[in-house]
Amino acid sequence: MNDNTVHLHERVKKILYSLTGITLAENKDIMIANRLHKLRRDTRFNGDLEDLLDAIEKGSNTTEFINSFTTNKTHFFRECFHFEDLRDRILPTFAKSGQQIKMYCSASSTGEEPYSMAMTVMEARETLGRSLNATIIATDIDTNVLQYAANGVYRFSKSSKEFPSWIKPQKYFKRRVEKNLANEEILIKVKDELKKMITFKIMNLNDSSYPYNKNEFDVIFCRNVLIYFSVEDQNKILKKLFSHLKIGGTLYLGHSENPHDLINYVQRAGQNIFIKTKDIY
Ligand SMILES: C[S@@+](CC[C@H](N)C(=O)[O-])C[C@H]1O[C@@H](n2cnc3c(N)ncnc32)[C@H](O)[C@@H]1O
């Protein structure tokens, strides 16, 4: 890489960090180059890449810039044992008390995670009764994935095994017919009953505070997003999220993430499952 490219990539990292808090690792040069060129094509920007970054720094195309540098990999029932824990340990208590369960999905990407939470509730309702009521707030910083999630149309290969055996997808999705589908593909659309449980909103985890009440949520999913932040920033995000979790509420983290400074304020209930035992003052 020549000096100009090194300088360009350092600028990208700096801008991305200031807008999102995301820290790009050292080995991401090919990814940065590809995404930057694609951004210039998509925005039909007339100028070189340095000019493009100048414009972004001045406030134009920031949404497109953020959207092109997020990584949105996700799937239905990812780390399925978290949904099983929700179904078996948490939901029965709420069905019994009749109290509504408030859940927060803090990096919802294209929607598979919050829809999996909602399907878990619907499935549990069949055995626990209709007194089980839930609301889910699902947020992400990327406007493209939020729109995709709200639309709720997913493309699958017929042979894919996205759903665990205890979920019958035909209960929650309508099959859609489209001319351009490949032989192996099916298209499914989330039914309204599932959608109604979820509110999708834009939110930046890097914001200094979040628009929720203290101890508002019974459950928070924060999975496979902390890995994009420095340890210092992971701690800041975790503490902010934690202040919105009720005592006795549950925090789910991704498989390679850890609770850092929260460790003395939680009790471990399973693999990356943490119950809040006290507030941090
Ligand atoms: C790899 S996906 C994880 C999706 C899902 N939680 C899962 O575990 O399957 C990470 C998501 O975090 C979002 N993200 C990254 N930085 C963010 C930030 N500062 N605020 C909110 N969301 C962010 C990305 O847009 C992306 O959709």
Side-chain angles (χ1 to χ4, degrees), residues 36-167:
L36 211 46
H37 280 100
K38 183 171 183 310
L39 178 63
R40 185 172 56 177
R41 274 198 311 276
D42 291 350
T43 55
R44 296 196 170 90
F45 187 81
N46 287 322
D48 66 19
L49 295 174
E50 292 282 0
D51 295 337
L52 176 60
L53 295 187
D54 287 346
I56 291 163
E57 274 182 333
K58 286 186 189 132
S60 54
N61 293 324
T62 50
T63 302
E64 291 80 358
F65 176 80
I66 292 171
N67 291 355
S68 42
F69 280 97
T70 54
T71 299
N72 310 113
K73 185 184 171 324
T74 185
H75 58 83
F76 287 104
F77 293 93
R78 183 178 194 178
E79 293 158 65
C80 188
F81 49 91
H82 285 167
F83 301 95
E84 287 164 357
D85 177 71
L86 176 64
R87 181 194 65 190
D88 299 339
R89 184 179 59 84
I90 302 178
L91 295 180
T93 319
F94 284 85
K96 218 174 189 176
S97 69
Q99 197 196 331
Q100 186 181 64
I101 176 167
K102 288 190 81 172
M103 300 197 271
Y104 179 41
C105 176
S106 64
S108 54
S109 188
T110 36
E112 288 87 336
E113 187 174 60
Y115 285 128
S116 301
M117 294 159 76
M119 279 185 266
T120 304
V121 171
M122 300 274 280
E123 205 62 36
R125 215 182 253 171
E126 293 201 352
T127 43
L128 299 170
R130 298 203 70 79
S131 60
L132 184 61
N133 249 302
T135 59
I136 300 168
I137 294 177
T139 65
D140 203 283
I141 196 174
D142 181 331
T143 55
N144 287 340
V145 294
L146 281 168
Q147 203 176 357
Y148 191 100
N151 193 28
V153 177
Y154 297 92
R155 194 176 282 265
F156 287 103
S157 138
K158 279 179 189 151
S159 55
S160 85
K161 293 200 169 63
E162 288 256 344
F163 298 95
S165 58
W166 51 276
I167 288 287

